[in-house]
Amino acid sequence: MTESRRPARQAQGPGDKRNGSRNNKPKQAKRPDPTAGLDQPRLAALDVLRAVRERDAYANLVLPGLLRDRKLDSRDAALATELAYGAARAQGLLDAVIVHASGRPIEEIDGNLLDVLRLGSYQLLRTRVAPHAAVATSVDLARAESGQGRAGFVNAVLRRVSERTQDEWVELLAPKDTIGHLAFEHAHPVWIAQVFADSLGAAAGELEDVLIADDARPAVHLVARPGEISAEELALVTGGEIGPYSPYAVHLDGGDPGQLDAVRQGLAGVQDEGSQLVARALTLAPLDGDDGGRWLDLCAGPGGKAALLGALAGIDGGRLDAVEPVAHRAELIRKTTRELPVDVHVADGRESGLEPGYDRILVDAPCTGLGALRRRPEARWRRQPSDVAPLVKLQRELLAAAIELVRPGGVVLYSTCSPHLSETLAVVADAVRRHGVVELDTKELVPGVPDVGDGNSVQLWPHRHGTDAMFMAALRKPLA
């Protein structure tokens, strides 16, 4: 469409200059929106994939706001969620197929086209979307942004992808060793699959079950705030189901929990049931001596466990200190724990400056997050084995600081959202050896939860418990 050369007529106001006024500019024709008429759920999913690739964004943080802004109905929002999270989660498998089908290394494919190819390949290989619909909508997306020529490239590649099922692509491209084959089939880096197998130990035969559970869309877990609402009441008002292990847990099949009245009113929060069990375990740990109600969350961001601990402390007249080194995250904790007996401190947990003498301390340490990959779709492709060593150093330093801050007879509960042996058993063993703390039987602190592993510590698993793969170990400081 070309611009009109005729000046547009304009009404003259009292302040207009009629001799050579520049107020009468030619009205420019409105350019057509290139996204008009495109499939909106797929466009939303594509925009999420692009944010993940270009800005290292987190899909689970980008998508909810995008869905609200675009006012997609529940059916379209569900499709956009499935496609965005699914394609991000399966990226490694999809990329291997795209490389074979295109004859090009990933690095030589334009990033915007790669996002479209990942979205289309995911639909072809891992959904029941009709192949013609998956290809046609992907071609439309490519054409709208990159033109007909590049749309033809997308069409050709996806047609080659559609010539085989996922199982056939796996047979063609997967490594031949057992762990490599399972990792490829279930869209995990090989090194992460090996971490899971090592942690399972004698139960390594369950590796495929772990990978399948880790590759599936997780349920939404809510936590009922103690003293405000019970799990039974929360399940009733949300239409959810009471969780099997935590007395505060409610499970939902999906949806945007941020829109629930109970969450908006601060009666409930979003928290994996495994994380709830960690917080509760700290409160159940046996002390030597009385509990004075002085508790500490040494690694409190983003605040979910601090909120649960604060609510439980408040019931018995106790108080919680919460430490977070980043100011804006500390502010999030303040908002999450408003009206609870929680004091937030902006400090490094290794040098918090707090007065020793705490009865109970939680060290939910920064970790690789390998136990929560199902909730962070792109994370498995970002983490590297080289991330582990500096995190282990930090974990040991934080645990040592906690042991200094806890009173004799008090308990430190160490937890990670990772089953990596270097981040779990090795850190605990180091603390016992260096600091003389006594490891308690942590299994007794998660009553009713089966199959949590051998030894004194607890390892949860998504395929066994429906939770993130949380690890926890309770350590008591001797009286003398």
Side-chain angles (χ1 to χ4, degrees), residues 277-422:
L277 292 173
V278 167
R280 184 172 186 249
L282 176 66
T283 71
L284 297 179
L287 309 178
D288 277 337
D290 295 334
D291 188 344
R294 188 167 179 240
W295 299 358
L296 171 63
D297 184 348
L298 195 62
C299 311
K305 296 183 183 69
L308 181 51
L309 287 172
L312 291 171
I315 291 173
D316 294 325
R319 196 159 192 94
L320 178 77
D321 285 311
V323 174
E324 164 56 46
V326 181
H328 75 86
R329 284 169 60 89
E331 188 59 33
L332 290 176
I333 300 170
R334 289 190 183 96
K335 291 179 180 177
T336 302
T337 60
R338 62 186 182 276
E339 301 179 3
L340 292 173
V342 176
D343 298 309
V344 181
H345 306 267
V346 181
D348 187 324
R350 293 168 293 184
E351 298 177 351
S352 66
L354 296 172
E355 186 71 23
Y358 288 94
D359 299 287
R360 302 178 188 274
I361 300 179
L362 174 63
V363 181
D364 183 40
C367 66
T368 56
L370 301 186
L373 297 179
R374 62 197 188 128
R375 299 193 184 277
R376 296 162 188 160
E378 69 292 317
R380 68 190 65 182
W381 309 111
R382 289 183 177 167
R383 278 299 186 192
Q384 300 295 329
S386 58
D387 296 335
V388 177
L391 284 167
V392 168
K393 180 176 183 294
L394 175 60
Q395 290 156 2
R396 291 183 176 186
E397 291 170 349
L398 287 166
L399 186 51
I403 293 169
E404 287 294 317
L405 289 169
V406 76
R407 68 165 175 81
V411 169
V412 175
L413 191 112
Y414 173 78
S415 69
T416 64
C417 190
S418 170
H420 198 303
L421 294 177
S422 296

Side-chain angles (χ1 to χ4, degrees), residues 98-376:
I98 290 167
V99 165
H100 192 279
S102 67
R104 300 185 188 181
I106 284 294
E107 297 77 15
E108 294 183 7
I109 300 175
D110 174 79
N112 291 337
L113 292 183
L114 180 58
D115 295 332
V116 175
L117 289 171
R118 287 169 173 167
L119 184 63
S121 297
Y122 177 76
Q123 294 173 75
L124 289 169
L125 300 179
R126 291 195 145 202
T127 74
R128 288 181 282 185
V129 172
H132 72 273
V135 174
T137 53
S138 299
V139 170
D140 288 343
L141 290 169
R143 182 185 298 114
E145 182 167 281
S146 303
Q148 183 61 42
R150 292 190 169 188
F153 171 71
V154 168
N155 181 65
V157 173
L158 291 181
R159 289 191 179 279
R160 293 191 192 105
V161 172
S162 70
E163 291 171 359
R164 291 183 172 92
T165 65
Q166 175 178 287
D167 289 344
E168 291 169 340
W169 280 114
V170 169
E171 281 303 308
L172 179 66
L173 301 177
K176 300 308 177 185
D177 65 287
T178 299
I179 291 181
H181 192 281
L182 289 174
F184 185 88
E185 180 179 2
H186 300 295
H188 282 71
V190 174
W191 77 275
I192 292 179
Q194 185 66 60
V195 165
F196 291 168
D198 293 344
S199 183
L200 286 166
E206 298 177 21
L207 176 60
E208 184 167 21
D209 293 333
V210 177
L211 296 175
I212 289 172
D214 204 43
D215 201 30
R217 178 176 63 88
V220 175
H221 290 186
L222 301 179
V223 56
R225 179 167 290 180
E228 297 288 347
I229 191 172
S230 68
E232 292 80 3
E233 292 168 330
L234 182 60
L236 183 64
V237 298
T238 61
E241 294 185 0
I242 297 173
Y245 305 122
S246 166
Y248 320 112
V250 170
H251 295 185
L252 302 177
D253 288 336
D256 182 359
Q259 298 301 305
L260 296 172
D261 288 340
V263 174
R264 296 170 76 171
Q265 295 167 8
L267 303 176
V270 180
Q271 187 177 49
D272 183 80
E273 188 168 6
S275 293
Q276 298 175 41
L277 292 173
V278 167
R280 184 172 186 249
L282 176 66
T283 71
L284 297 179
L287 309 178
D288 277 337
D290 295 334
D291 188 344
R294 188 167 179 240
W295 299 358
L296 171 63
D297 184 348
L298 195 62
C299 311
K305 296 183 183 69
L308 181 51
L309 287 172
L312 291 171
I315 291 173
D316 294 325
R319 196 159 192 94
L320 178 77
D321 285 311
V323 174
E324 164 56 46
V326 181
H328 75 86
R329 284 169 60 89
E331 188 59 33
L332 290 176
I333 300 170
R334 289 190 183 96
K335 291 179 180 177
T336 302
T337 60
R338 62 186 182 276
E339 301 179 3
L340 292 173
V342 176
D343 298 309
V344 181
H345 306 267
V346 181
D348 187 324
R350 293 168 293 184
E351 298 177 351
S352 66
L354 296 172
E355 186 71 23
Y358 288 94
D359 299 287
R360 302 178 188 274
I361 300 179
L362 174 63
V363 181
D364 183 40
C367 66
T368 56
L370 301 186
L373 297 179
R374 62 197 188 128
R375 299 193 184 277
R376 296 162 188 160

